[in-house]
């Protein structure tokens, strides 16, 4: 009898022809996250991933693989061979592991994936049931049991009772590469996390107005990226100075259009980065009606710029729910640190609430849009941000 950890893959299993590729991506992530443990081996058996590790490391390995997108359940599991010699011992050991949980009822749930195995599920269930009834005070409840005893018959036989919830979603990279517009605020890190969870391999761009905004403000954004990297793996952060563009807008265009024009430039530069470095999507933390630039008019005018899909996963969420999400993923405390943002440098007193594409294009015709974008791209800096650390 061996102790292992099994990973259930949920949605990934629906992916037909791509399934194996998806599973291999998750195995790659598991390897990366468990490389500090000794004696790890990983294999597949009928659509689940199994991790062999030292018995003492099981709890720590469960924690290490929890953030991986695409895993639905993480389950300490007992493996026995098909001679069934250790079957009873394994069931008794499982009962021992749930002792003290206050359970009163159970249900046995056997599944025979290997159809050649001669003992059928019903018989396995009866055998588990008889063992439990003989050795404990637990009662059978087939409708609403306090816990299940699972038995999967595959290349080996696996028994388990306690399952921990994984993060779910789809493995990183299965929905292409995406570029997140990452400010220092509360919203954009959450938006980046949400799209990464849908399988987008996420890098980010941050706009600053140095020296009007400080280096410390940029450090804060790098810190946020480092927290995100804890979920996604190493992140590339493109750092772009918007100051010359803001100065040009300030000089040539109506004051109340500053915010919306800046946002159009952010989108243009994001589009240029996506084109140059091959990102198929752009993600922002925009939210309908939260601030003046996020009215329907504002969003339409911003959206007219890029040539690729723009994801706004927070668009219909309430702020209070976004904050709860930020707390859950661990970005909130960093986001609320007070540092200046590039948008606040030339903040208009009354930003335009109903901009139109035509009107904004008229203002932009006074600017050398292409030249300004080209110069910003030439001055672009690229940082590599690893999990939990800043370059
Ligand atoms: P956040 O909390 O993410 O800053 P917000 O509610 O403050 O959002 P805005 O400042 O209008 O809203 O920004 C909307 C979105 O535009 C942000 O979520 C982000 O995706 C992008 N954005 C804004 N400022 C920047 C910046 N300085 N660098 C990169 N992206 C930015
Ligand atoms: Mg902001």
């Amino acid at each position: 009898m061996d102790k292992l950890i099994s990973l259930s893959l949920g949605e990934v299993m629906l992916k037909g022809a791509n399934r194996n590729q998806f599973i291999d991506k998750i195995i790659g992530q598991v390897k990366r996250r468990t490389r500090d443990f000794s004696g790890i081996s990983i294999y597949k058996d009928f659509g689940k991933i199994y991790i062999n590790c030292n018995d003492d490391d099981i709890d720590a390995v469960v924690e290490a693989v929890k953030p991986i997108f695409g895993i639905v359940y993480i389950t300490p599991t007992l493996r026995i061979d098909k001679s069934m010699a250790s079957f009873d011992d394994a069931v008794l050991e499982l009962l021992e592991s749930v002792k003290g949980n206050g359970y009163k009822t159970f249900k046995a749930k056997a599944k025979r994936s290997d159809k050649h195995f001669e003992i059928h599920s019903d018989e396995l269930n009866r055998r588990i049931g008889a063992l439990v009834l003989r050795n404990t005070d637990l009662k059978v409840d087939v409708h609403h049991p306090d816990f299940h005893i699972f038995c999967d018959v595959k290349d080996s036989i696996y028994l388990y009772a306690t399952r921990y919830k994984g993060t779910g979603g789809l493995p990183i990279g299965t929905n292409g590469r995406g570029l997140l517009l990452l400010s220092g605020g509360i919203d954009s890190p959450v938006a980046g996390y949400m799209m990464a969870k849908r399988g987008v391999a996420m890098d980010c761009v941050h706009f600053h107005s140095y020296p009007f905004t400080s280096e410390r403000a940029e450090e804060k954004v790098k810190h946020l990226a480092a927290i995100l990297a804890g979920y996604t793996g190493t992140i590339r952060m493109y750092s772009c100075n918007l100051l010359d563009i803001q100065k040009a807008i300030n000089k040539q265009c109506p004051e109340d259009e500053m915010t919306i024009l800046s946002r159009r430039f952010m989108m243009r530069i994001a589009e240029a980065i996506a084109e140059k470095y091959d990102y198929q999507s752009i993600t922002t933390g925009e939210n309908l009606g939260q601030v003046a630039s996020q009215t329907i008019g504002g969003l339409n005018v911003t959206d007219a710029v890029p040539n690729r899909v723009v994801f706004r996963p927070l668009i219909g969420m309430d702020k209070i729910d976004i904050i709860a999400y930020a707390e859950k993923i661990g970005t909130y405390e960093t986001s609320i640190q007070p540092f200046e943002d590039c948008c606040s440098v030339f903040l208009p007193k009354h930003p335009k609430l109903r901009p139109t594409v035509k009107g904004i294009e008229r203002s932009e015709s006074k600017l050398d849009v292409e030249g300004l974008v080209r110069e910003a791209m030439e001055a672009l800096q690229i940082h590599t941000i690893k999990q939990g650390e800043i370059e």
Side-chain angles (χ1 to χ4, degrees):
M1 178 163 48
D2 297 320
K3 285 186 183 173
L4 343 130
I5 297 165
S6 78
L7 309 177
S8 315
L9 305 179
E11 262 183 86
V12 173
M13 298 312 290
L14 304 174
K15 297 292 165 191
N18 293 330
R19 183 186 303 165
N20 272 329
Q21 200 190 331
F22 280 30
I23 295 176
D24 288 343
K25 277 199 194 293
I26 295 183
I27 289 181
Q29 296 255 343
V30 172
K31 282 190 180 146
R32 199 166 58 76
R33 283 176 189 274
T34 56
R35 66 183 159 213
D36 293 340
F37 296 93
S38 64
I40 296 274
S41 64
I42 301 163
Y43 68 96
K44 294 182 259 190
D45 191 356
F46 280 90
K48 276 193 194 177
I49 296 171
Y50 293 88
I51 310 172
N52 235 320
C53 63
N54 298 329
D55 289 0
D56 292 344
D57 291 337
I58 285 184
D59 290 346
V61 171
V62 166
E63 286 307 312
V65 300
K66 261 188 189 165
I68 299 175
F69 297 130
I71 299 173
V72 178
Y73 288 113
I74 304 163
T75 312
T77 300
L78 298 174
R79 176 177 64 186
I80 59 170
D81 63 52
K82 282 172 150 167
S83 73
M84 297 281 286
S86 328
F87 187 82
D88 293 6
D89 288 344
V91 174
L92 295 177
E93 179 149 348
L94 277 186
L95 290 173
E96 198 60 33
S97 74
V98 298
K99 233 184 190 170
N101 288 8
Y103 294 150
K104 294 195 169 55
T105 58
F106 77 101
K107 178 181 177 179
K109 209 168 172 183
K111 187 175 164 208
R112 201 171 49 120
S113 301
D114 172 8
K115 299 292 180 206
H116 298 298
F117 189 64
E118 60 279 9
I119 309 177
H120 286 210
S121 304
D122 284 350
E123 196 180 334
L124 289 167
N125 283 335
R126 277 198 298 275
R127 196 157 155 182
I128 294 169
L131 264 167
V132 178
L133 294 174
R134 206 180 315 132
N135 288 283
T136 67
D137 296 331
L138 290 161
K139 303 225 163 13
V140 176
D141 181 342
V142 290
H143 298 296
H144 304 288
D146 292 336
F147 78 109
H148 286 92
I149 295 178
F150 296 93
C151 173
D152 295 349
V153 180
K154 305 179 169 186
D155 286 345
S156 299
I157 296 176
Y158 302 93
L159 289 138
Y160 51 96
T162 306
R163 307 198 288 186
Y164 299 104
K165 252 184 136 99
T167 307
L170 293 171
I172 289 283
T174 52
N175 272 323
R177 283 157 44 79
L179 188 66
L180 167 69
L181 271 70
L182 182 63
S183 69
I186 296 167
D187 300 340
S188 42
V190 175
Y193 175 93
M194 286 173 85
M195 294 321 297
K197 188 174 165 183
R198 290 314 299 168
V200 179
M202 201 59 90
D203 285 336
C204 62
V205 53
H206 174 66
F207 299 95
H208 61 84
S209 315
Y210 187 78
F212 281 60
T213 56
S214 66
E215 266 175 41
R216 299 262 318 269
E218 204 189 357
E219 287 305 308
K220 170 186 167 179
V221 180
K222 285 184 182 169
H223 193 167
L224 287 171
I227 298 171
L228 284 181
Y231 300 98
T232 63
T234 303
I235 286 183
R236 256 183 160 209
M237 179 171 138
Y238 303 90
S239 187
C240 178
N241 194 333
L242 212 59
L243 188 56
D244 287 343
I245 290 174
Q246 290 173 307
K247 280 182 178 163
I249 298 172
N250 191 46
K251 205 161 148 199
Q252 311 278 358
C253 305
E255 192 216 359
D256 64 352
E257 291 178 1
M258 182 71 198
T259 309
I260 192 76
L261 284 165
S262 305
R263 303 198 57 73
R264 296 250 298 182
F265 272 98
M266 285 187 192
M267 273 297 184
R268 269 197 193 91
I269 293 164
E271 173 64 32
I273 295 172
E275 186 61 33
K276 182 168 177 188
Y277 296 102
D278 191 22
Y279 297 98
Q280 295 93 47
S281 63
I282 293 171
T283 295
T284 80
E286 284 163 312
N287 175 273
L288 191 58
Q290 199 181 83
V291 291
S293 61
Q294 298 177 21
T295 57
I296 293 288
L299 289 167
N300 267 318
V301 170
T302 317
D303 214 31
V305 171
N307 289 324
R308 60 207 73 218
V309 62
V310 178
F311 293 131
R312 299 180 169 92
L314 310 187
I315 198 73
M317 281 174 78
D318 288 348
K319 191 75 186 187
I320 198 167
D321 296 328
I322 299 172
I323 288 173
Y325 212 123
E327 282 173 335
K328 196 180 90 184
I329 65 171
T331 51
Y332 183 70
E333 288 304 320
T334 306
S335 287
I336 58 172
Q337 283 170 20
F339 280 111
E340 65 286 1
D341 180 46
C342 75
C343 302
S344 51
V345 173
F346 297 96
L347 202 63
K349 275 192 233 53
H350 301 288
K352 200 169 202 148
L353 291 180
R354 289 186 191 80
T356 60
V357 174
K358 264 209 171 116
I360 292 298
E361 279 176 355
R362 209 172 308 129
S363 301
E364 281 176 349
S365 68
K366 297 181 197 128
L367 302 168
D368 172 16
V369 172
E370 264 180 39
L372 287 166
V373 170
R374 193 177 345 111
E375 280 164 25
M377 284 297 286
E378 279 163 13
L380 200 65
Q381 290 186 320
I382 303 179
H383 310 284
T384 303
I385 314 278
K386 295 207 167 117
Q387 170 180 2
E389 67 176 56
I390 296 175
E391 208 183 21

